[in-house]
Amino acid sequence: MTEAAAESGNAHPVRYQGRVRLTRYAALASARAARLVSDARHWASRLPPMVWDSLLPTLLLVNIMTTRLPHELPAAVALTAALALPLVWRHRVPRMVFGAVAAAACVQWLMDVQLLADIALLVALYTVAANSGRRGTLVAGAIVETGVLLACVRWAAEGAFPTTFVAATAMVVAAAVLGVNVRTKGVYLAALEERAARLEHEQEQQARLAVAEERTRITREMHDIVTHNLSVMVALNDAAVYAQHRSPEKATTVMLQISETGRQALTDMRRSLGVLRTDEPDAERHPLPGIAQLHALADQMCVAGLPTRLEVRGGHTHIPATAQLTVYRLVQEALTNTLKHTPPGTHAEVRVRCSAETATVDVTDSGPCPALPGATPSGHGIPSMRERAAAYGGKLQAGPLPGGGWRVHTRLDFGSSGEVSA
């Protein structure tokens, strides 16, 4: 009893293993068949189109030579060749091929010979519809339909004319519709390819514009940072050289200030370049300078030899960080130009007025007017300030004052439109 139960219990695993093996073999066979089909398609796609166009004429000629009687063979072979051989060039000159096939069909009708090669008319009509416009398709269809009518009148069995004519007309319409669908699909795919190419070109242009804008931004930042800090360091160095014999302690303080200015310049450069690198910690440790740092900037200019008075009106905590950076850079560049282009004893005054959606920047100094009326300091300072102001819809005004001195004025709009433009 126990042995019988054991034997009956072992039968299920054997049957299960057999099913698993059969499933595995079926999967392997299916994979091999799919691979063979894929290889065959790849091999077939590498053949020239004329090889495929020659297949139907070859089959028709073989069929006519194997099915006709010897005394009918010369005329049947000649007419089949005239109907089928032009199909080899149907993709190159579809209209000429259709004309040749239609002419051969007309001769066939006049000779009263029925041939299977009449299918070449449908293939030629399909090719014309796939490669020509609506007018060409209608003309070719009308010609074939006329041939169908004549053929049915002569060769249709007695009482079978309506059925034969309707069936032949249906084949003509099907061939024309298939050709039109292929042409429509080709036009649609061509339009998609053109659109994809245009979008790719536009994306490349946008990428190049983004790179150019980023280069311009980095160049502008580096110009402001390097020019300002080097100008301050040069002024402090001159002061240290002048005071090293008369007041060594003051000279030491000035040299320490030079070192601090250099370290600040390096920090600003790391901060600006750190935006481009995800592994740069300085970009996160040190926020971008803003309106709150204008007091430190004014103190630095005072130490460098340019007495600067700062006046900030209105709250600025609601102003975006990028807009505050723009205000800071405008004031920094204006004071740097004053420090570089004015003689000692010049005073500067900075007034910043903040409102709900605007900020007005006004920087004036008491330096002498330029030698030529309307002359402006050379370099990239003022163009850089104009670019920064234009990003927030502002127009920079920079020029001499009537009573002497220089003024830089602009008004920034950091509302919804300003942020988008920035």
Side-chain angles (χ1 to χ4, degrees):
M1 187 70 176
T2 305
E3 293 178 358
E7 290 179 0
S8 62
N10 292 333
H12 294 288
V14 173
R15 187 180 303 170
Y16 176 75
Q17 292 177 0
R19 291 180 179 176
V20 171
R21 289 178 182 176
L22 289 176
T23 304
R24 185 178 301 173
Y25 291 152
L28 291 175
S30 177
R32 290 177 181 177
R35 186 179 304 172
L36 290 176
V37 172
S38 177
D39 294 341
R41 288 180 178 178
H42 178 69
W43 176 80
S45 63
R46 298 178 63 181
L47 293 176
M50 188 172 290
V51 174
W52 296 105
D53 294 338
S54 304
L55 184 60
L56 180 60
T58 303
L59 293 177
L60 292 175
L61 288 173
V62 171
N63 174 75
I64 202 67
M65 288 187 294
T66 57
T67 58
R68 289 286 177 167
L69 297 176
H71 67 277
E72 299 177 351
L73 197 59
V77 171
L79 290 174
T80 300
L83 286 168
L85 288 181
L87 297 179
V88 176
W89 298 276
R90 65 190 181 94
H91 285 104
R92 295 186 177 181
V93 283
R95 295 185 178 182
M96 293 181 61
V97 168
F98 177 82
V101 173
C106 181
V107 173
Q108 173 203 353
W109 185 83
L110 293 175
M111 293 178 64
D112 194 11
V113 179
Q114 297 186 46
L115 295 171
L116 181 63
D118 288 335
I119 194 175
L121 274 172
L122 298 178
V123 177
L125 173 61
Y126 163 81
T127 307
V128 170
N131 295 275
S132 302
R134 181 181 301 178
R135 181 178 300 177
T137 302
L138 292 176
V139 172
I143 293 174
V144 176
E145 187 65 18
T146 302
V148 167
L149 177 61
L150 295 176
C152 290
V153 169
R154 171 168 289 185
W155 295 317
E158 186 178 356
F161 175 82
T163 304
T164 305
F165 180 75
V166 170
T169 301
M171 289 189 291
V172 172
V173 173
V177 170
L178 286 176
V180 171
N181 289 339
V182 169
R183 179 173 58 85
T184 304
K185 182 179 179 181
V187 172
Y188 178 70
L189 292 178
L192 288 180
E193 291 178 357
E194 181 182 359
R195 180 182 179 185
R198 185 173 65 253
L199 290 177
E200 183 178 1
H201 181 66
E202 292 177 355
Q203 289 178 354
E204 292 178 356
Q205 285 185 336
Q206 291 178 358
R208 287 194 294 267
L209 290 175
V211 171
E213 291 178 358
E214 188 64 16
R215 288 179 178 175
T216 303
R217 186 193 68 81
I218 295 174
T219 302
R220 188 167 55 234
E221 289 292 322
M222 292 301 100
H223 171 269
D224 292 346
I225 293 172
V226 173
T227 302
H228 167 73
N229 289 284
L230 285 181
S231 299
V232 173
M233 293 172 68
V234 169
L236 291 174
N237 184 72
D238 292 341
V241 171
Y242 179 78
Q244 64 179 346
H245 298 295
R246 300 183 178 182
S247 180
E249 296 180 356
K250 186 176 181 180
T252 302
T253 303
V254 173
M255 286 186 287
L256 291 175
Q257 185 65 32
I258 293 174
S259 300
E260 181 63 26
T261 303
R263 284 190 290 269
Q264 182 63 36
L266 292 175
T267 301
D268 291 343
M269 291 180 65
R270 292 195 191 99
R271 183 194 302 119
S272 298
L273 297 178
V275 177
L276 306 178
R277 300 177 56 185
T278 57
D279 58 346
E280 180 61 50
D282 284 333
E284 298 180 358
R285 279 205 307 261
H286 304 286
L288 295 174
I291 298 177
Q293 283 71 38
L294 288 178
H295 296 280
L297 177 63
D299 295 338
Q300 186 183 47
M301 301 306 296
C302 291
V303 174
L306 178 64
T308 303
R309 179 176 176 270
L310 175 64
E311 179 183 351
V312 179
R313 294 184 180 179
H316 55 80
T317 56
H318 65 284
I319 300 179
T322 53
Q324 293 200 35
L325 175 63
T326 300
V327 173
Y328 181 89
R329 294 302 185 200
L330 290 174
V331 175
Q332 183 186 53
E333 182 63 28
L335 294 178
T336 301
N337 289 337
T338 300
L339 182 65
K340 290 169 56 178
H341 301 288
T342 58
T346 302
H347 293 75
E349 183 175 354
V350 179
R351 291 185 297 272
V352 178
R353 296 180 179 85
C354 303
S355 62
E357 294 185 352
T358 62
T360 304
V361 180
D362 193 75
V363 182
T364 58
D365 62 63
S366 60
C369 294
L372 297 177
T376 59
S378 61
H380 301 281
I382 292 181
S384 175
M385 287 191 291
R386 293 189 190 279
E387 293 176 0
R388 289 184 180 276
Y392 284 89
K395 293 183 179 180
L396 187 77
Q397 300 176 2
L401 295 173
W406 191 270
R407 183 192 183 194
V408 174
H409 174 81
T410 187
R411 180 186 178 187
L412 308 181
D413 182 6
F414 45 81
S416 57
S417 60
E419 291 181 9
V420 172
S421 63

